[in-house]
Amino acid sequence: MVASRIDGVCVRGIVGCVPEGRETAGDLARRFGEDAARRIAAATGIEERRIAAPGQCTSDLAEAAARRLLDGLGWEPGSIDLLVLVTQTHDHTLPGTASLLHRRLGLRKGAAVLDLTHGCSGFVYGLWTAAGLLKAAGRRALLLVGDTTSRLVDPDDRTVAPLFGDAAAATALELDGTAAPMAFDLGSDGAGAPYLTAEGGAMRHPDRAARLFMDGTQVFAFTLREVPGSLRAALDAAGWTMETVDHLVLHQANAQMIRHLGQKLGVSADRTVLALRDVGNTSSASIPLAIAGALAAPLSAGTRRLLLSGFGVGWSWGSAALAVGPLAMCETVVLAGRKYPADSAAPASPAV
């Protein structure tokens, strides 16, 4: 595992973005039957999911979140030195989606951009990457995470169709000499790659449709095997104990899994965030979306100690212990279902 501490970088704000389209338990009941739909909701804690409209891509959700965040903070696009985008559902094979967002957000020509292809561990990996790079050079960074996983799902596959929703989130980072250190623990195990995969549509199998496959038993076993130790390692790196953590925010994959991990770690239910009922599993966006949805009030009012962990495809996992708040922005916006203009369209007022 990789353990590290990064000091002098502060989270200034978080904005989540979900599409207005929804798929409800009633929709699932019409496909799979009412009994099956009830069992799925009871087992997962998911009652509806947000679904991107035709023509909406990950970049559209991420752009809406980033614009709202920049406006709320009063940050000019030209003040951003680094943009890191984490997604598995890119707009195009190439160029990277971060380059498209660089142009559409009007960032200055000298800003650095980077795409990371990570899933459910992606927010923690992105936070580690963005904070580390910002510490090396720069003053302000945008971390954008999100996926439109519903595009990879066979709607008749009851193992994945009731679970995955679409969303994105934007996090603003800034150098601050008074900021408490962020502590990280990250790891991977490529032996788990076959158990959560979408093999079609890329270079190895270009003639196959990109369809998501998940072996839920293997995912659950991997999670229980790796995540508790990773969380404890992040705590140790921060010099915290579990009793000093205000909120445990895990990847929002399954309510039973989250409760089980909280109990295994000795974290009370009132400190364990559950925020997947109305959005589903939103992959890399799930942790910041949960923070913006469940913790907006306390994080706007003061500082809270957060213990985070994302885990899934790869296998890949990442945990972080960090003090966050008070935040100038912490909210979720809804993006209307409209088709966006082509990326060749001229951006509005690019920064120089």
Side-chain angles (χ1 to χ4, degrees):
M1 293 184 183
V2 174
S4 66
R5 284 165 57 101
I6 300 173
D7 60 6
V9 177
C10 185
V11 176
R12 296 300 189 200
I14 299 174
V15 173
C17 179
V18 296
E20 66 177 353
R22 303 168 187 259
E23 184 166 81
T24 67
D27 297 318
L28 294 179
R30 284 187 283 275
R31 287 211 304 277
F32 303 134
E34 291 187 5
D35 287 345
R38 278 196 296 267
R39 287 196 301 272
I40 291 167
T44 64
I46 298 170
E47 296 182 8
E48 68 176 46
R49 298 169 297 119
R50 294 294 185 130
I51 305 297
Q56 279 183 339
C57 292
T58 299
S59 65
D60 304 319
L61 298 168
E63 179 186 0
R67 287 189 182 279
R68 176 62 181 151
L69 182 58
L70 291 174
D71 288 346
L73 293 175
W75 287 9
E76 292 296 327
S79 72
I80 302 301
D81 302 300
L82 170 69
L83 184 153
V84 175
L85 172 71
V86 182
T87 186
Q88 297 180 122
T89 52
H90 299 276
D91 287 29
H92 310 297
T93 302
L94 56 88
T97 307
S99 295
L100 306 181
L101 284 163
H102 173 278
R103 184 169 186 270
R104 285 160 55 175
L105 291 170
L107 305 189
R108 64 183 180 85
K109 190 178 292 185
V113 301
L114 176 66
D115 286 82
L116 297 178
T117 304
H118 266 59
C120 304
S121 65
F123 178 71
V124 176
Y125 266 84
L127 187 63
W128 177 63
T129 300
L133 292 175
L134 192 60
K135 184 69 175 176
R139 185 168 69 96
R140 288 176 172 171
L142 278 179
L143 168 60
L144 307 181
V145 297
D147 284 291
T148 49
T149 310
S150 69
R151 301 284 165 76
L152 304 177
V153 170
D154 180 345
D156 295 321
D157 183 349
R158 69 179 61 196
T159 64
V160 291
L163 306 180
F164 290 92
D166 303 328
T171 301
L173 302 174
E174 188 172 35
L175 287 187
D176 183 341
T178 68
M182 301 178 181
F184 295 90
D185 176 83
L186 306 107
S188 57
D189 178 4
Y195 302 115
L196 185 51
T197 182
E199 294 182 346
M203 300 301 106
R204 181 68 65 187
H205 302 293
D207 298 327
R208 294 186 193 173
R211 284 287 180 251
L212 185 66
F213 165 79
M214 182 176 71
D215 185 326
T217 301
Q218 291 289 343
V219 172
F220 197 86
F222 145 71
T223 301
L224 296 184
R225 183 172 65 247
E226 301 294 352
V227 173
S230 178
L231 284 161
R232 293 187 182 103
L235 279 178
D236 289 345
W240 298 358
T241 65
M242 202 67 74
E243 290 71 25
T244 64
V245 171
D246 293 308
H247 305 285
L248 173 66
V249 190
L250 303 175
H251 166 51
Q252 302 288 296
N254 178 296
Q256 287 188 356
M257 181 187 294
I258 293 169
R259 293 190 185 100
H260 187 87
L261 284 169
Q263 292 169 359
K264 188 178 180 70
L265 291 161
V267 180
S268 60
D270 63 307
R271 292 189 293 147
T272 303
V273 171
L274 277 175
L276 73 169
R277 185 188 66 184
D278 299 327
V279 294
N281 179 340
T282 56
S283 189
S284 58
S286 80
I287 290 176
L289 199 66
I291 292 171
L295 301 179
L299 289 177
S300 297
T303 302
R304 296 292 186 273
R305 285 185 168 188
L306 305 185
L307 182 59
L308 318 176
S309 190
F311 40 86
V313 62
W315 304 127
S316 174
W317 61 93
S319 300
L322 65 159
V324 177
L327 297 182
M329 289 287 292
C330 191
E331 63 180 45
T332 301
V333 297
V334 179
L335 184 62
R338 62 187 178 91
K339 188 170 183 178
Y340 276 68
D343 292 311
S344 58
S349 304
V352 294

